[in-house]
Amino acid sequence: MTRITIILLCALTFSAVPVTADDDLEVLWDQCYDFAFMNGGWGIYGEYYTQDDFTLETDAELEAVECWAYFYPEEPAHPRPFDVNVRYDQCGMPGAYYFRTRVGGDDVEETDTGFDYHGHPLYLYRLNIEPCHIDGGLTFWLEIRSEAENCNWGCKTTGNLYYQWYQWDNAAYFRLLGTPEDTAVQTASWGEIKAGYSD
């Protein structure tokens, strides 16, 4: 596994060592799955690009990303590696890359939620990454890409999402976990998060 991190001046770091999963990371941003409001998903494989925005309340180290996804029309072998990218905001839309990393092997945790979208099983993915500093109060855009074909990032209506560089009034399902400088943020245990889903 090769991980590539690009920050500001395009300094690169490479690592083949799995990131240690931390069960006591704190929730930095919570836009998690809600069965009642899910209305589909957006492609995050091949030539398909999807981004959703976030703004943290405080400076923090981003250490894990969770997303909810399903496969349509056919379900390939999975899990496969993911790319977790963070983009700058440029006039209210995704701009240049701030951070990029590839996540595979033990750093990809897959849970079958027990839910489905029109008969297609919905999976929760936890993607453990090397810590990435995120400044609070600034808008960034999360971009997730899957190496698995037909992977769709679950979403709901009402939000601000870009798909293929066009704006849509949708919100993708994701949660950001890490270590904030201000500890007055909700604590989330990965064990507690998984407890609500059936394997």
Side-chain angles (χ1 to χ4, degrees), residues 65-101:
V65 174
E66 295 176 352
C67 66
W68 284 257
Y70 64 95
F71 298 93
Y72 175 84
E74 297 178 350
E75 186 167 330
H78 60 85
R80 299 290 299 277
F82 283 81
D83 291 320
V84 175
N85 306 325
V86 176
R87 290 177 177 266
Y88 289 103
D89 178 78
Q90 182 175 340
C91 301
M93 67 178 297
Y97 285 115
Y98 169 69
F99 171 87
R100 302 178 71 180
T101 189

Side-chain angles (χ1 to χ4, degrees), residues 1-3 16-19 78-82 102-110 125-128 147:
M1 174 180 64
T2 301
R3 182 171 291 102
V17 180
V19 179
H78 60 85
R80 299 290 299 277
F82 283 81
R102 168 149 283 215
V103 184
D106 293 339
D107 293 331
V108 176
E109 300 180 40
E110 178 186 83
Y125 290 99
R126 171 161 167 165
L127 311 174
N128 299 299
E147 192 175 280

Side-chain angles (χ1 to χ4, degrees), residues 167-183:
Q167 193 273 334
W168 297 82
D169 295 329
N170 282 188
Y173 288 127
F174 69 96
R175 183 187 277 130
L176 305 180
L177 306 176
T179 306
E181 292 186 1
D182 180 357
T183 57

Side-chain angles (χ1 to χ4, degrees), residues 2-90:
T2 301
R3 182 171 291 102
I4 304 176
T5 304
I6 301 179
I7 301 179
L8 297 180
L9 299 180
C10 298
L12 302 182
T13 62
F14 298 89
S15 173
V17 180
V19 179
T20 301
D22 188 339
D23 286 340
D24 296 315
L25 296 179
E26 298 185 26
V27 176
L28 307 175
W29 181 267
D30 196 352
Q31 199 164 290
C32 66
Y33 169 69
D34 187 331
F35 175 79
F37 296 99
M38 182 168 172
N39 70 336
W42 299 96
I44 55 172
Y45 64 94
E47 71 272 27
Y48 301 112
Y49 287 78
T50 300
Q51 301 95 8
D52 203 345
D53 62 337
F54 67 91
T55 306
L56 303 187
E57 293 184 0
T58 63
D59 291 2
E61 294 296 311
L62 175 61
E63 299 173 65
V65 174
E66 295 176 352
C67 66
W68 284 257
Y70 64 95
F71 298 93
Y72 175 84
E74 297 178 350
E75 186 167 330
H78 60 85
R80 299 290 299 277
F82 283 81
D83 291 320
V84 175
N85 306 325
V86 176
R87 290 177 177 266
Y88 289 103
D89 178 78
Q90 182 175 340

Side-chain angles (χ1 to χ4, degrees), residues 121-167:
L122 183 70
Y123 298 94
L124 166 62
Y125 290 99
R126 171 161 167 165
L127 311 174
N128 299 299
I129 64 173
E130 295 285 358
C132 168
H133 181 81
I134 302 292
D135 290 331
L138 297 180
T139 298
F140 291 91
W141 293 82
L142 176 65
E143 177 184 273
I144 299 174
R145 293 179 53 70
S146 173
E147 192 175 280
E149 290 290 313
N150 304 326
C151 189
N152 293 275
W153 190 356
C155 71
K156 63 180 179 180
T157 56
T158 308
N160 184 33
L161 172 151
Y162 271 79
Y163 174 69
Q164 299 299 80
W165 313 110
Y166 288 96
Q167 193 273 334

